[in-house]
């Protein structure tokens, strides 16, 4: 819960899998505007989410930071890189293990598909398998491949029903994590930390109060709120921004034309920002510089999304 007088902290948390594109700039701009709309003491952080090392491209974190700087989006503190934070994720996993809320899992994708088929469950959820809980009671002689969060046990002990929360743009939300997702992965056994664990630990330890990010991530929110509760962390407020769609109406990706943004000259950076601002429902700018345009959008953002100092 956000209490009165709390320092408001927002963040932009890109994964360095490619340079900024039109969609990620919308999230960066929105999170920056939300912080500035919260008054002079609020702080905007940038965190480079390179925990999933297999998907990240070398040097891309620095490319993103320089693109942001070209758009006058400069963090109030030095950026944090997730690869420097392993001990914090270890500590969180240990805490969950000690509470009986994390267990090793030896299932391959094929094992999960077979277990789901045996139960007559044919569906996957957004292409992800709902974990049927096979290893919740033990590894059945298999080697551990991953650590999972006992979401089902935790959710049932807490409420035994769907989780409800409010999104500042999307309104009332709900999800039954136990039924719709199942016990999700925290860490691959000898591999990277899962996004869900890393993001929850980092947001809490960086004191993030207001999460503003793209709507493609909205579906992760219930998982993250459950993890926050299991780890004794406060839950921030959430606002998910509109996506930038490709010409085919699908979410922008490298396949359908998510070309890197051009930010090499001040005029290009200003045009890129202007496009992002219009996606957020802000007025096209007549400003001469990125900094001037940003300053003019702050009161508009405050009116649209009601972020008071
Ligand atoms: N690193 C994630 C991404 O770029 C975003 C994380 C977040 O904002 O929660 O998709």
């Amino acid at each position: 819960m956000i209490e009165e007088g709390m320092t408001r902290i927002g963040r932009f948390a890109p994964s360095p899998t490619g340079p900024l594109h039109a969609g990620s700039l919308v999230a960066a701009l929105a999170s920056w505007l939300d912080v500035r709309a919260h008054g002079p003491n609020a702080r905007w952080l940038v965190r480079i989410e390179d925990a999933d090392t297999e998907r990240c491209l070398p040097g891309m974190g620095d490319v993103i930071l320089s693109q942001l700087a070209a758009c006058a989006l400069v963090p109030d503190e030095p950026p944090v890189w997730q690869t420097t934070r392993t001990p914090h994720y270890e500590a969180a996993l240990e805490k969950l293990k000690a509470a009986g809320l994390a267990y090793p899992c030896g299932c391959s994708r094929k094992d999960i598909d077979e277990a789901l088929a045996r139960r007559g469950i044919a569906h996957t959820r957004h292409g992800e398998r709902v974990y049927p809980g096979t290893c919740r009671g033990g590894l059945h002689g298999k080697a551990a491949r991953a650590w999972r969060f006992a979401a089902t046990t935790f959710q049932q002990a807490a409420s035994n029903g769907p989780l409800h929360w409010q999104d500042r743009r999307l309104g009332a939300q709900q999800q039954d994590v136990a039924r719709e997702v199942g016990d999700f992965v925290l860490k691959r056994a000898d591999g990277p930390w899962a996004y869900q664990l890393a993001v929850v630990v980092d947001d809490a330890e960086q004191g993030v109060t207001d999460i503003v990010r793209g709507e493609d991530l909205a579906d992760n929110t219930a998982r993250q709120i459950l993890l926050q509760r299991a780890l004794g962390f406060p839950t921030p407020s959430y606002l998910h921004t509109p996506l930038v769609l490709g010409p085919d109406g699908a979410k922008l990706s490298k396949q359908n034309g998510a070309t890197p943004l051009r930010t090499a000259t001040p005029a290009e950076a200003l045009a890129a920002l202007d496009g992002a601002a219009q996606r957020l429902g802000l007025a096209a700018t007549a400003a001469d510089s990125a900094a001037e345009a940003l300053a003019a959008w702050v009161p508009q953002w405050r009116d649209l999304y009601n972020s008071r100092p």
Side-chain angles (χ1 to χ4, degrees):
M1 288 297 283
I2 296 166
E3 286 155 25
E4 213 164 314
M6 224 177 196
T7 302
R8 305 297 285 262
I9 300 180
R11 52 52 161 194
F12 174 53
S15 301
T17 53
L20 277 185
H21 56 74
S24 44
L25 185 62
V26 170
L29 173 62
S31 62
W32 187 93
L33 288 171
D34 196 52
V35 164
R36 292 296 172 253
H38 277 129
N41 296 327
R43 280 182 290 148
W44 187 64
L45 312 180
V46 173
R47 182 171 69 234
I48 304 293
E49 297 215 317
D50 55 351
D52 189 349
T53 39
E54 285 164 23
R55 287 175 54 237
C56 298
L57 294 177
M60 212 37 89
D62 288 320
V63 170
I64 291 173
L65 291 170
S66 63
Q67 288 179 293
L68 290 172
C71 293
L73 298 171
V74 181
D76 296 319
E77 290 176 15
V80 162
W81 298 68
Q82 283 189 326
T83 36
T84 65
R85 295 196 31 86
T86 302
H88 301 262
Y89 310 142
E90 290 282 4
L93 180 59
E94 288 308 317
K95 195 168 166 183
L96 291 171
K97 283 192 218 170
L101 291 174
Y103 63 86
C105 169
C107 295
S108 63
R109 279 164 191 246
K110 190 161 161 274
D111 294 335
I112 297 174
D113 285 343
E114 284 170 4
L116 289 173
R118 274 197 300 279
R119 291 174 190 209
I121 304 171
H123 70 278
T124 59
R125 194 176 154 278
H126 309 312
E128 285 173 45
R129 293 151 181 83
V130 178
Y131 185 63
T134 318
C135 294
R136 198 178 297 135
L139 280 165
H140 308 286
K142 290 184 287 195
R145 300 166 68 102
W147 282 91
R148 287 186 184 269
F149 175 50
T152 309
T153 311
F154 184 69
Q155 185 186 313
Q156 280 164 1
S159 67
N160 207 16
L163 194 77
H164 295 263
W165 72 100
Q166 202 63 28
D167 185 283
R168 288 171 54 201
R169 179 175 150 263
L170 302 173
Q173 305 288 302
Q174 65 166 42
Q175 189 179 77
D176 186 335
V177 177
R179 200 175 54 79
E180 296 176 48
V181 182
D183 295 349
F184 54 88
V185 171
L186 300 168
K187 184 184 192 291
R188 276 178 262 154
D190 52 355
W193 294 93
Y195 157 62
Q196 308 294 355
L197 181 77
V199 81
V200 162
V201 170
D202 290 341
D203 283 334
E205 293 185 1
Q206 293 189 283
V208 172
T209 56
D210 296 85
I211 292 182
V212 176
R213 61 186 178 191
E215 198 175 323
D216 54 328
L217 294 162
D219 186 63
N220 296 287
T221 309
R223 273 170 273 182
Q224 294 171 12
I225 294 175
L226 272 192
L227 262 184
Q228 288 154 6
R229 292 184 184 169
L231 287 163
F233 296 149
T235 289
S237 81
Y238 287 94
L239 188 162
H240 288 88
T241 57
L243 298 182
V244 177
L245 303 179
D248 53 0
K251 191 197 150 198
L252 269 193
S253 65
K254 288 195 191 79
Q255 287 71 36
N256 73 355
T259 44
L261 282 180
R262 297 160 76 99
T263 51
T265 68
E268 282 176 346
L270 184 56
L273 274 176
D274 208 23
Q278 288 179 52
R279 189 72 193 103
L280 292 168
L282 305 166
T285 184
D288 292 327
S289 71
E292 241 179 76
L294 290 174
W297 285 320
V298 171
Q300 291 181 38
W301 175 274
R302 191 177 287 134
D303 289 343
L304 273 177
Y305 296 103
N306 194 23
S307 22
R308 300 275 150 216

